[in-house]
Amino acid sequence: MKSLYILCLMCLFGATLYAGTYHKREVELPCFVTSNTSRIEIRKIIITDEQTQVDAVMYGRPGEPCAISGNTYLCNGVQRFPLREADRVSIGGKDPSEQIGELGHRSVTLSFAPLTVGVHTVDFVEPDAGWTIYDIQLTEQEPYVYTPSFLDVQSVKPSESLPQPDLKVGKAIVNGYILGYDPRIDLDVVFRFADWLLTNDWGQSVKVREDGSFHIEQDIVMPCGAKLQINKAQLDMFLFPGAEMTVYIHLPRLSMSASQLLKGRFGQVQKAWFDGKGQELNTELATYGVPLSVADEPGFEFRTEGMDAEQLEDYVNERCRHLVSRVEKEKKAGDAYRTYVMTNLEMNALVLVGDRKEIPKGLEQSPYIRYGYDYVPYLQYLERNLHISADLWNDIRRARTVYHDMIKLHKITGEDKAMYEAITEPELRNYIDTRAEKLKAVIARNMAAKRNVVLSIDSMMPAEKVFPAMVSSHKGKVVLVDFWATWCAPCRKSMHVIGMMKKRLPEDNIVYIYVTGASSPESTWKTVINEITGIHYRITEKQWNYLCNNYGIKGIPAYLVVGQDGKIRNRYIGFPGIGVLEYDLRKAMR
């Protein structure tokens, strides 16, 4: 009996020892949630009691230094496991002989302090360069992401034919949810679309809320392509004017599809689910993994850097043929997907060649050239080399000139007005008008942050349209609307206190609008507002009475807090106190 007791103790002691050690464990091609760099990827992690070995691949231009900061570490949110040694890479750039290889990459080995037992995921952090790979899995499994059950029943269905590329100005709305997002992740989200008035490189930052949701509104002139860039990954989309769409994005799968090591596994899996107009085409774009541009392929810039014009043309055409053949081999793909992707690839190849030499003829007779993301530069090159003013080029050229001058001069000159009138396509003029109103709002906001800006409301405008006209162009910002009068002493007193509050709140996120009526003498009003930074309106008695009756303004001062979605969040009759007002404004910004 005694010997049995001793044997049990020995087994328990052995199990305890085993539980406190890792022995040796290898994870090949570990999955991760997202990465803000394409300069390093992890091929393997080997975990032992003595060290955590990370076999990685570093990317860059051939011959450039292959270096990493000595401050690099792994972490699990609480503990840090610092870099100890490195092989085939220079720590701190002290060894200039360590260089990126001729193919634009180099395999390296990094040795970190051993991980604590029970650690299941780690972040890789190179603080000097700002590289972070989030939630690297220490198993062969991909990260767990909660996916709503109603998405499980959605399948990839073939898209029908593309709509006719007719012009019709309207607002495209995208409501999004990033599945797998955590607020601690530094996520850089940028929205771009094929904008005929500005360059395609222009993009707008997208604010992601703590729950992973986001909202985008964009005026467009016709159905068009767009890109949502999330860190180093990209989701291609197709938008429709006047239509609202919801997208659910699987962050780890989208991120890993952009990895050179993992794209073979995740490049052709569904990375997003869509609900709304065009969901079939958008789902295909989020699944099949064929880039819309030859230049989107990893390493394109490095591989083509030293090529002459002829070599570049041969390389680009070969890669274009390869990608087009991938589309043709995708038997389940629909007609809209095939037409859209191949049009973009062929146009992109022509534009890339046109950057170095005379552009060859190609797509100018295609009915779908307007769907090319490179449509405007393609038309520019056609005119430059072949003296062809194809499709809408003359009108677009005029529209771009007018709009660029509006941005630069904040007005339309007489010459621009003549050019505007010469635009033959009415929807392009409508597009400029729509964008001009938004531009005025942006200019007013920027100016109002520093001083007062007076904007007018047409006295003949129907009363029910007055409030939307004041706030609708500021969607995406929190708006504080202050109803006041020059003769109202409490109004003036509260403005002084609010002025101190403004200094504590981020000016880029809040718009301050001050509204008064005809009871405030115009001469007095113009004098008083010199001291009040913000956007000021003086409206007619009829308009004022309508706003008061319909928005519950039973006395002044009164305040409305309008959220980023354009909806009223809070209403106060009388000054509620600086603490309450500041709290509600900050809450509306989240």
Side-chain angles (χ1 to χ4, degrees):
M1 186 70 179
K2 183 177 180 181
S3 60
L4 180 61
Y5 176 73
I6 293 172
L7 180 62
C8 289
L9 281 177
M10 290 177 65
C11 291
L12 180 61
F13 179 71
T16 303
L17 275 179
Y18 182 81
T21 61
Y22 264 115
H23 294 278
K24 182 178 181 179
R25 182 150 58 91
E26 297 186 8
V27 184
E28 293 273 0
L29 298 177
C31 297
F32 59 92
V33 169
T34 189
S35 173
N36 67 5
T37 179
S38 55
R39 298 300 299 272
I40 188 167
E41 295 184 7
I42 296 176
R43 188 190 301 277
K44 182 192 292 187
I45 297 179
I46 303 173
I47 305 168
T48 68
D49 295 333
E50 291 76 32
Q51 68 165 348
T52 304
Q53 178 179 315
V54 174
D55 294 341
V57 181
M58 295 187 68
Y59 300 93
R61 286 183 173 83
E64 76 175 359
C66 182
I68 197 165
S69 168
N71 298 320
T72 301
Y73 59 90
L74 304 177
C75 69
N76 67 340
V78 178
Q79 297 171 285
R80 289 189 179 186
F81 308 95
L83 177 67
R84 291 174 169 177
E85 298 177 353
D87 184 39
R88 293 173 54 81
V89 57
S90 173
I91 295 181
K94 296 177 181 178
D95 185 353
S97 65
E98 302 291 3
Q99 298 179 346
I100 299 294
E102 292 182 2
L103 298 178
H105 58 79
R106 183 181 179 90
S107 295
V108 303
T109 300
L110 308 173
S111 175
F112 296 85
L115 299 180
T116 305
V117 172
V119 174
H120 303 294
T121 65
V122 291
D123 295 343
F124 174 94
V125 182
E126 206 279 29
D128 292 358
W131 302 341
T132 305
I133 306 174
Y134 292 94
D135 285 334
I136 303 164
Q137 306 296 295
L138 300 181
T139 69
E140 304 293 340
Q141 303 301 314
E142 61 180 289
Y144 170 76
V145 170
Y146 169 73
T147 306
S149 57
F150 64 85
L151 298 179
D152 294 336
V153 299
Q154 289 193 15
S155 58
V156 183
K157 299 177 181 178
S159 54
E160 298 181 358
S161 59
L162 282 173
Q164 288 301 307
D166 299 326
L167 273 59
K168 180 64 178 176
V169 176
K171 189 186 301 296
I173 298 176
V174 180
N175 298 303
Y177 298 88
I178 300 179
L179 308 178
Y181 172 69
D182 187 301
R184 75 179 184 84
I185 295 175
D186 182 17
L187 212 58
D188 183 26
V189 182
V190 178
F191 171 77
R192 305 180 191 275
F193 74 106
D195 190 353
W196 292 356
L197 298 183
L198 296 170
T199 65
N200 289 344
D201 290 334
W202 177 86
Q204 66 183 69
S205 295
V206 177
K207 180 181 178 181
V208 179
R209 305 182 187 97
E210 288 192 359
D211 63 354
S213 64
F214 62 87
H215 179 81
I216 299 169
E217 293 188 11
Q218 180 61 57
D219 294 303
I220 55 178
V221 71
M222 60 169 283
C224 69
K227 301 175 182 180
L228 194 64
Q229 295 174 326
I230 303 179
N231 281 350
K232 294 301 176 180
Q234 177 175 297
L235 181 69
D236 290 303
M237 299 184 296
F238 193 80
L239 308 180
F240 292 84
E244 188 166 353
M245 177 174 71
T246 302
V247 56
Y248 301 85
I249 302 169
H250 194 296
L251 179 59
R253 289 182 183 173
L254 181 66
S255 301
M256 291 186 290
S257 70
S259 160
Q260 297 197 52
L261 296 179
L262 291 172
K263 65 181 179 181
R265 178 178 172 187
F266 292 98
Q268 292 185 283
V269 299
Q270 188 171 350
K271 296 166 277 292
W273 295 261
F274 294 84
D275 182 30
K277 191 171 183 178
Q279 67 183 53
E280 291 83 7
L281 172 56
N282 279 301
T283 302
E284 289 178 305
L285 290 171
T287 303
Y288 294 134
V290 179
L292 300 182
S293 165
V294 175
D296 281 346
E297 290 199 292
F300 175 85
E301 180 185 355
F302 301 148
R303 293 191 182 98
T304 59
E305 198 169 45
M307 293 181 179
D308 61 30
E310 300 302 325
Q311 291 172 325
L312 177 69
E313 182 176 21
D314 290 342
Y315 179 80
V316 166
N317 288 338
E318 185 277 325
R319 296 310 301 161
C320 182
R321 286 192 293 270
H322 169 73
L323 294 172
V324 167
S325 70
R326 280 180 55 186
V327 177
E328 293 172 339
K329 290 176 182 176
E330 195 59 64
K331 303 301 182 185
K332 296 180 181 179
D335 290 341
Y337 174 81
R338 292 176 185 278
T339 303
Y340 180 65
V341 175
M342 288 194 284
T343 297
N344 272 274
L345 284 170
E346 291 167 7
M347 183 175 289
N348 176 249
L350 291 168
V351 168
L352 289 172
V353 172
D355 283 340
R356 302 273 191 94
K357 57 178 292 188
E358 185 173 302
I359 192 170
K361 286 190 175 183
L363 294 167
E364 59 271 12
Q365 301 303 319
S366 167
Y368 295 112
I369 61 170
R370 296 178 188 177
Y371 288 139
Y373 203 80
D374 294 309
Y375 171 67
V376 169
Y378 175 65
L379 297 184
Q380 286 177 302
Y381 288 156
L382 283 180
E383 182 184 54
R384 183 196 69 188
N385 296 141
L386 303 178
H387 310 293
I388 298 173
S389 294
D391 199 31
L392 293 170
W393 174 235
N394 287 329
D395 276 351
I396 291 174
R397 180 174 52 191
R398 297 181 184 111
R400 284 164 71 91
T401 300
V402 172
Y403 190 66
H404 287 191
D405 284 350
M406 288 172 56
I407 293 174
K408 184 168 58 177
L409 304 174
H410 298 171
K411 64 180 181 179
I412 296 182
T413 65
E415 186 177 337
D416 286 338
K417 186 171 179 61
M419 194 172 293
Y420 172 89
E421 295 297 336
I423 296 173
T424 60
E425 173 54 63
E427 282 300 307
L428 263 181
R429 290 200 299 271
N430 186 15
Y431 190 43
I432 293 175
D433 294 341
T434 302
R435 296 288 291 274
E437 287 302 313
K438 295 292 174 63
L439 185 62
K440 288 178 185 176
V442 171
I443 294 169
R445 281 202 301 267
N446 293 340
M447 294 172 64
K450 309 298 181 187
R451 60 182 180 84
N452 70 83
V453 174
V454 176
L455 297 181
S456 60
I457 290 288
D458 189 342
S459 61
M460 301 303 292
M461 178 182 285
E464 67 272 14
K465 294 185 178 181
V466 169
F467 190 77
M470 292 176 179
V471 301
S472 63
S473 59
H474 302 295
K475 272 194 177 182
K477 307 286 184 182
V478 174
V479 182
L480 176 64
V481 185
D482 184 333
F483 292 84
W484 71 293
T486 57
W487 45 262
C488 171
C491 298
R492 302 277 293 275
K493 184 177 180 180
S494 64
M495 282 178 180
H496 175 71
V497 180
I498 290 173
M500 293 187 290
M501 178 190 73
K502 288 179 183 179
K503 297 176 181 179
R504 297 194 296 269
L505 293 172
E507 64 181 38
D508 290 342
N509 295 331
I510 304 179
V511 180
Y512 299 92
I513 294 178
Y514 297 88
V515 183
T516 194
S519 67
S520 294
E522 187 171 2
S523 58
T524 306
W525 172 70
K526 286 182 176 179
T527 301
V528 171
I529 64 174
N530 285 331
E531 305 169 5
I532 308 167
T533 59
I535 298 174
H536 294 267
Y537 292 96
R538 183 175 179 273
I539 56 180
T540 67
E541 182 179 3
K542 181 178 180 181
Q543 292 168 337
W544 172 270
N545 290 337
Y546 179 89
L547 293 187
C548 291
N549 291 333
N550 282 272
Y551 292 94
I553 310 301
K554 299 178 180 179
I556 56 173
Y559 307 89
L560 298 178
V561 175
V562 181
Q564 295 169 326
D565 55 1
K567 297 178 180 178
I568 295 174
R569 299 295 183 87
N570 305 93
R571 178 187 291 105
Y572 305 104
I573 310 302
F575 185 56
I578 197 67
V580 171
L581 201 56
E582 184 173 343
Y583 173 81
D584 285 333
L585 289 170
R586 290 188 182 278
K587 183 178 179 182
M589 283 188 284
R590 292 198 288 267

